[in-house]
């Protein structure tokens, strides 16, 4: 029996879909069988980020309405054997999301996959409620901005009421090192204290994340050394229970303008 | 006529019904008493004291009907030395301090009956309301509403420097508009005689808003 993880945030544009895609891929690379479900009905884009747009034949609304069996609606990733996706419908609205049917579908999928990752739509409307209803655990994605943190707080409140089996964890996405170092950004520790949710991942903002998503290849799949890709891989390993210290920021500290004595000494050589 | 007794206490006339007699016997005795009274009095305002007895709905209507049938009698109220557990519990709840320990998050509105001691933060966008006073141990960034909806006796105390608004009764105060040096950890908010929200040091709470004892009415 697998575990379902909902990736949610409240606010839009903080990187839910990117996180869902990269996390799925990182888990597949760790040898797990993953099914990722896009619940962002009406505004789907998980398929594009995973590079599966061309292959979508049936979507979740087809499955909910019983037109097709869930196993046949899954899109198999051509490159990664363990990765399947259930696409959202682009034409339907969130009202089509029948929570009972979705619970049944997710239960079915949990039997054949290690993890079912649910990409939740922004907001706290029907799509979000459906995602929460079927989740065993939740990853709340936020960015170091007051608007995102405030919305995350709202979402955490709702998730707490849902009493998820494996609880709620926080991922801080799009952390800009320059801003942290110049003290202009919200402090990571402040965000964690404020939300009082355990932190499970810090993803450093990197242009490559967007560039690779545009190509339909999540950054985890193509650049192992990219700081964001490392962040996602670490996140996946932490979910699998490995004890990896949360040192993404310290490891990627930018060189200060005034380099130290030893640095200058070695550079001059 | 030992089952009922008419007594004058201060300005009021009390009709005491003995706790130990049968209620119907008491009603019979009352009839005799009232017939007597009708001859000598043309107006009498009564308070019926049932002492250690709690009347049921049916008994109350019977009693009221009997008194109504005498024109010179006017029933002011029915009192008793006892009360039901349910109503006592409700009274206690109103006066007790409820202790709640959790974080109140954005979008949540918590309502409480009576006084509240909140052990936890109130995040921005959250609201905590109580009919009585609210004391918070934790950082408040949201809205605290004591004395909801119209209890001027309520007070608010706690770390309120970062709160958005303080509301007491039907009044509200935007905390950002306050002179910050007034707002220390040991200050509390209350409604003063001019019906505006005021701040004072917690040392003065006892003199400004003495905590009332439980009144069972």
């Amino acid at each position: 029996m697998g575990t379902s993880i909902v990736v949610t945030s409240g606010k839009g544009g903080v990187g839910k879909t990117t996180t869902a895609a990269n996390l799925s891929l990182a888990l597949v690379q760790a040898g797990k069988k993953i099914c990722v479900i896009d619940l962002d009905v009406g505004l789907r884009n998980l398929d594009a980020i995973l590079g599966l747009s061309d292959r979508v034949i049936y979507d979740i609304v087809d499955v909910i309405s019983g037109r097709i069996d869930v196993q046949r609606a899954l899109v198999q990733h051509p490159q990664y054997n363990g990765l399947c996706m259930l696409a959202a419908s682009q034409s339907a609205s969130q009202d089509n999301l029948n929570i009972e049917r979705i619970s049944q579908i997710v239960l079915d999928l949990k039997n054949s996959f290690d993890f079912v990752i649910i990409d939740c739509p922004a907001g706290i409307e029907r799509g979000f409620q459906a995602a929460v209803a079927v989740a065993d655990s939740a990853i709340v994605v936020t960015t170091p901005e007051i608007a995102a943190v405030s919305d995350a707080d709202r979402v955490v409140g709702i998730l707490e009421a849902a009493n998820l089996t494996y609880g709620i964890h926080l991922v801080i996405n799009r952390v800009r090192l320059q801003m942290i170092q110049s003290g202009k950004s919200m402090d990571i520790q402040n965000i964690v204290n404020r939300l009082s949710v355990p932190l499970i991942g810090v993803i450093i903002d990197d242009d490559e994340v967007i560039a690779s998503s545009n190509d339909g290849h999540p950054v985890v799949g193509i650049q192992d050394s990219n700081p964001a890709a490392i962040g996602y891989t670490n996140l996946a390993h932490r979910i699998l229970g490995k004890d990896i210290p949360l040192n993404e920021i310290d490891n990627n500290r930018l060189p200060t303008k005034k380099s130290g004595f030893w640095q200058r000494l070695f550079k001059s050589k | 006529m030992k089952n009922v007794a008419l007594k004058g206490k201060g300005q009021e006339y009390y009709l005491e019904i003995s706790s130990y007699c049968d209620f119907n016997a008491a009603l019979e005795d009352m009839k005799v008493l009232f017939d007597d009274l009708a001859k000598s009095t043309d107006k009498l305002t009564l308070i019926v004291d049932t002492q250690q007895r709690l009347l049921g709905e049916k008994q109350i209507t019977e009693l009221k009907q009997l008194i109504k049938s005498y024109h010179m009698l006017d029933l002011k109220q029915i009192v008793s030395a006892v009360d039901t557990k349910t109503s006592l519990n409700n009274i206690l709840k109103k006066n007790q301090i409820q202790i709640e320990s959790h974080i109140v998050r954005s979008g949540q509105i918590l309502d409480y009956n009576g006084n509240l001691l909140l052990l936890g933060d109130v995040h921005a966008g959250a609201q905590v309301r109580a009919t009585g006073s609210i004391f918070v141990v934790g950082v408040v960034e949201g809205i605290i509403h004591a004395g909801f909806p119209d209890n001027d006796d309520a007070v608010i105390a706690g770390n309120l420097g970062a709160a958005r608004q303080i509301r007491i009764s039907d009044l509200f105060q935007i905390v950002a508009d306050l002179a910050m040096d007034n707002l220390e950890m040991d200050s509390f908010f209350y409604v003063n005689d001019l019906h505006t929200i005021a701040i004072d040091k917690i040392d003065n709470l006892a003199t400004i808003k003495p905590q009332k004892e439980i009144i069972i009415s």
Side-chain angles (χ1 to χ4, degrees):
Chain A
M1 190 75 175
T3 309
S4 59
I5 304 174
V6 58
V7 180
T8 183
S9 71
K11 187 179 178 295
V14 297
K16 280 181 298 296
T17 306
T18 315
T19 302
N22 281 290
L23 172 62
S24 308
L25 214 56
L27 285 168
V28 168
Q29 286 177 342
K32 298 291 170 188
K33 276 192 81 183
I34 306 297
C35 178
V36 48
I37 304 179
D38 192 353
L39 272 191
D40 202 349
V41 171
L43 295 165
R44 76 171 184 210
N45 31 38
L46 181 66
D47 51 337
I49 290 178
L50 284 171
L52 296 172
S53 303
D54 307 342
R55 296 167 190 273
V56 175
I57 299 167
Y58 301 107
D59 57 47
I60 190 158
V61 173
D62 292 324
V63 183
I64 288 170
S65 61
R67 277 193 286 271
I68 185 86
D69 184 58
V70 61
Q71 299 292 342
R72 288 186 59 198
L74 293 180
V75 183
Q76 167 73 48
H77 199 286
Q79 248 174 302
Y80 305 97
N81 226 344
L83 183 60
C84 285
M85 183 193 69
L86 181 56
S89 167
Q90 184 68 312
S91 50
S93 81
Q94 285 190 12
D95 299 336
N96 295 51
L97 296 173
N98 177 325
I99 292 176
E100 278 169 35
R101 282 287 293 145
I102 294 176
S103 311
Q104 215 176 351
I105 293 165
V106 172
L107 202 64
D108 272 359
L109 291 171
K110 281 203 288 191
N111 282 325
S112 38
F113 290 92
D114 295 319
F115 287 97
V116 177
I117 292 172
I118 301 157
D119 182 25
C120 179
I124 47 174
E125 313 305 323
R126 184 78 173 237
F128 170 77
Q129 284 158 7
V132 172
V134 299
D136 296 329
S137 67
I139 288 180
V140 175
V141 182
T142 186
T143 57
E145 297 163 75
I146 188 76
V149 173
S150 163
D151 287 1
D153 188 39
R154 175 93 175 92
V155 161
V156 169
I158 299 170
L159 288 167
E160 274 178 344
N163 272 327
L164 306 177
T165 322
Y166 296 108
I168 309 160
H169 291 88
L170 182 68
V171 168
I172 301 178
N173 196 15
R174 309 187 78 162
V175 175
R176 293 204 218 160
L177 292 169
Q178 302 98 313
M179 284 185 76
I180 291 229
Q181 267 168 328
S182 61
K184 286 178 189 161
S185 166
M186 279 179 93
D187 186 44
I188 300 288
Q189 195 56 49
N190 267 346
I191 298 172
V192 177
N193 288 348
R194 201 188 146 98
L195 294 175
S196 34
V197 171
L199 182 66
I200 196 172
V202 174
I203 315 294
I204 285 158
D205 191 35
D206 194 283
D207 295 346
E208 208 49 50
V209 176
I210 295 170
S212 60
S213 291
N214 290 344
D215 292 343
H217 296 287
V219 68
V220 167
I222 50 167
Q223 287 191 354
D224 294 344
S225 58
N226 182 289
I230 292 170
Y232 285 122
T233 311
N234 286 351
L235 168 63
H237 286 286
R238 283 184 202 117
I239 288 174
L240 294 174
K242 276 189 200 158
D243 192 12
I244 299 173
L246 276 158
N247 56 3
E248 274 86 357
I249 290 177
D250 293 333
N251 286 351
N252 288 286
R253 213 159 267 288
L254 299 176
T256 40
K257 271 180 195 160
K258 243 185 160 184
S259 44
F261 169 73
W262 289 104
Q263 269 173 302
R264 270 180 281 157
L265 192 69
F266 284 115
K267 261 184 195 160
S268 61
K269 267 189 180 176
Chain B
M1 230 200 269
K2 50 194 177 253
N3 291 337
V4 292
L6 185 67
K7 291 181 181 173
K9 292 182 190 170
Q11 301 294 313
E12 314 277 8
Y13 286 100
Y14 282 80
L15 182 74
E16 293 182 354
I17 303 174
S18 162
S19 309
Y20 305 105
C21 73
D22 178 55
F23 183 69
N24 288 324
L27 281 181
E28 289 302 318
D29 283 3
M30 262 185 249
K31 263 182 213 163
V32 179
L33 176 71
F34 293 158
D35 284 338
D36 254 8
L37 279 173
K39 289 172 202 159
S40 54
T41 329
D42 49 57
K43 196 159 172 53
L44 187 67
T45 307
L46 265 187
I47 295 174
V48 175
D49 183 359
T50 64
Q51 301 196 331
Q52 306 288 324
R53 184 202 305 265
L54 199 62
L55 295 186
E57 286 291 328
K58 207 181 142 202
Q59 292 172 317
I60 289 175
T61 26
E62 266 181 83
L63 181 66
K64 278 185 177 169
Q65 263 169 8
L66 175 69
I67 293 175
K68 228 179 187 176
S69 63
Y70 293 86
H71 292 292
M72 82 293 182
L73 292 177
D74 182 23
L75 179 67
K76 195 176 177 191
Q77 65 181 126
I78 301 173
V79 296
S80 144
V82 289
D83 208 344
T84 61
K85 276 187 179 176
T86 343
S87 73
L88 283 178
N89 272 333
N90 284 337
I91 292 165
L92 281 176
K93 247 185 216 162
K94 250 190 203 167
N95 289 281
Q96 264 174 352
I97 277 209
Q98 288 183 74
I99 303 174
E100 291 286 332
S101 77
H102 52 83
I103 299 170
V104 193
R105 292 185 184 276
S106 171
Q108 294 175 336
I109 299 179
L110 298 189
D111 271 306
Y112 293 95
N113 240 328
N115 300 327
L116 172 69
L117 173 61
L118 182 68
L119 309 172
D121 297 349
V122 179
H123 286 180
Q127 215 181 112
V128 176
R129 295 195 294 221
T131 55
S133 299
I134 301 178
F135 309 95
V136 191
V137 181
V139 180
V140 178
E141 292 177 359
I143 296 173
I144 301 284
H145 194 162
F148 177 79
D150 56 2
N151 170 14
D152 280 1
D153 291 329
V155 301
I156 300 176
N159 184 357
L160 300 162
R164 294 285 184 278
Q165 289 174 21
I166 294 297
R167 300 182 185 173
I168 304 177
S169 184
D170 54 350
L171 301 166
F172 63 89
Q173 171 71 54
I174 294 162
V175 175
D177 293 350
L178 290 169
M180 269 336 220
D181 42 336
N182 280 340
L183 247 186
E184 286 164 18
M185 274 294 282
D186 62 346
S187 46
F188 77 100
F189 289 80
Y190 66 101
V191 179
N192 64 12
D193 297 341
L194 301 171
H195 197 66
T196 52
I197 291 182
I199 316 174
D200 213 312
K201 288 210 157 198
I202 201 87
D203 307 358
N204 302 329
L205 176 62
T207 41
I208 294 171
K209 293 273 174 184
Q211 297 298 301
K212 280 190 288 185
E213 37 189 300
I214 297 174
I215 298 164
I216 300 171
S217 56

